[in-house]
Amino acid sequence: MTSIHATCISWTGPNGPATRRGAAPLAILLRGPSGAGKSDLALRLIDRGWQLVSDDQTALTAESDRLVARAPETISGRMEVRGLGVLEVDAVESAEVALVVDLVPPDQIERLPGPESCELEGIAVPRLAFNAFETSAATKLELALRSRLEAPRAAPEPDPAKARRVVLVTGLSGAGRTTALDALEDLGYEAIDNPPLDLVAEIVRKPGAQPIAIGADIRTRAFAAEPFLALLEHLEETPELAVFLLFIDCEDDVLGRRYSETRRRHPLAHERPLRDGIAAERRLLAPLKSRADLVIDTTTLAPGDCQRIVAGHLGSDDSEAMTVFVTSFAFRRGLPRAADLVFDVRFLANPHYDRTLRPLTGLDPKIAAFVAADPDFEGFFGRLTDMLDPLLPRYEREGKSYLTIAVGCTGGRHRSVMVAERLAAWLRAQGRDVTLLHRDVDTT
C-alpha cells in the first residue's frame, strides 16, 4: 500500500459507468500541488452526483489487475473546504481508479493529447492533464472517463508459470511408453492411458492444478497422426495449458526381441511378420516424432534409466536449475541417442592391456589411478571443465532443463567410466543436480 498526495472521487450516479459494469465503483484520482484546485473540482463533481473516496491523501493498493483507492482511516468521510474548514461528507469506502488527472496551468494542456498512462503500484492507468478551474472541467472529466470505458476491459494475460502442464506421451509399441507414463505418475502427474482422442481436450480442461499425462498410441480409439496433431495444436493454443509432446522410440531389432521374449502380438502385425507391423507403425508415427519436444530412445536403456531421463526433463518446476545427466558408453555399441555433448577419451592410456587391471572397471581406485597417471589427463580434464563452466549457464538461459553429457571409450568399462565419475563429482561441486549412469560397464 502507498499513500500519495491526491484527492479521489467516485462516479456512482445512476448514469455512471460503474453501474453499467456492475462492478466496484470507478473513480478518478486528482493530483497536483496545493492550490491546483483539487478540492474545488472535487466539490463540483460531488454536486453532479459523484462521491468522495478521499481528500488530499489517498491510499492505493494493487488488487489483482486493479488499482484500488481508499481514504486513510483518520480522514475517512471528511473533506477540507477553503473558507469552511473540515466537513463531514458522504463517501464510499473504496473504488477502482480508472483515470489519473494531473491538474496543471492552462498553458500546459495540449489541444489534442495522445494516449498516455502512468504506473501506480505496478498497474498502468490512463492519465490526462486538466485545468481544474475551467468552467467545463467537470463535464470534460465525465466525458473522458466514459470514453475510456466504452471498450471492454481486456482479460489479464495468463501467467505461464501457473499454466497446467500437460504431457502427451506416444511412441512405438514396446518402446517403453508405459514406463514413461508410470514415471510421470510417480512425479505427481495424473496419468491416463489411451483415452479416446476426442475426450482429451475435455479431460485436461477439468479444474485442478495437478499436472496431467496422457498416453496415446495406435491402440487408442480413432488414433491417427492427423487428428493427434490437430489435438496438439488445439491444446497449445489454450493459454492455461503448457503442453509437451514426449515420443518414446527404439531400434527395430530391439523391439523385435522384446516382442519375441514376451510373445505378444504387435498391434499392426496381424497375420504379417512382426517386422512389417513395426515398419507400418513407424511410418504412421513419423509426423509425431518429428513434432515431439523430446524423443527418448530406449534401445540401450534399462527401465530405471528411462525413468531418470523422464524425471530430469519433466520433474518439478520448483527449481530453474538444469539437471545434468552424465553417462559413460562404449563406442563399439553406438552413441547414446539422447546425448547433447559427446567426449571421446580413447586417447588416454588403456588399462585393458594390463592383465591385472583388465577385469576391473573405472569404479575401482586402481583404474582411476592408472588413467589419472596419463600425462595428458590433467590437461584434458582441466580444459573440459573450463569449457563447461561458462557453457552450462548459457544452456540454462536458453531454457534447457536437461543436458546429457556422454563420455565414451572403446569398451565402456575403464577410461570412460573413470572420466564420467570425475566429471560428475566436479559438476556436483559446482552445485549441479547430476544423474550418473555407466551404460556399458557390465558388458564384455
Side-chain angles (χ1 to χ4, degrees), residues 172-186:
L172 294 169
S173 303
R177 186 185 56 82
T178 301
T179 299
L181 204 60
D182 290 343
L184 289 167
E185 187 171 27
D186 292 341

Side-chain angles (χ1 to χ4, degrees), residues 194-206:
N194 279 321
L197 289 183
D198 55 2
L199 295 182
V200 171
E202 181 181 347
I203 291 171
V204 301
R205 287 198 178 96
K206 288 184 178 179

Side-chain angles (χ1 to χ4, degrees), residues 246-296:
L246 171 61
F247 189 96
I248 308 300
D249 197 6
C250 186
E251 289 184 355
D252 290 358
D253 290 345
V254 175
L255 286 175
R257 186 167 64 248
R258 291 175 184 175
Y259 272 100
S260 296
E261 291 172 351
T262 61
R263 298 185 178 182
R264 296 180 59 198
R265 180 177 295 276
H266 190 279
L268 294 184
H270 303 301
E271 302 302 323
R272 297 181 297 176
L274 173 61
R275 64 177 179 273
D276 290 350
I278 295 174
E281 184 180 23
R282 193 174 290 282
R283 288 193 299 271
L284 173 66
L285 298 181
L288 306 187
K289 181 179 177 180
S290 64
R291 176 63 181 77
D293 297 292
L294 173 65
V295 177
I296 298 179

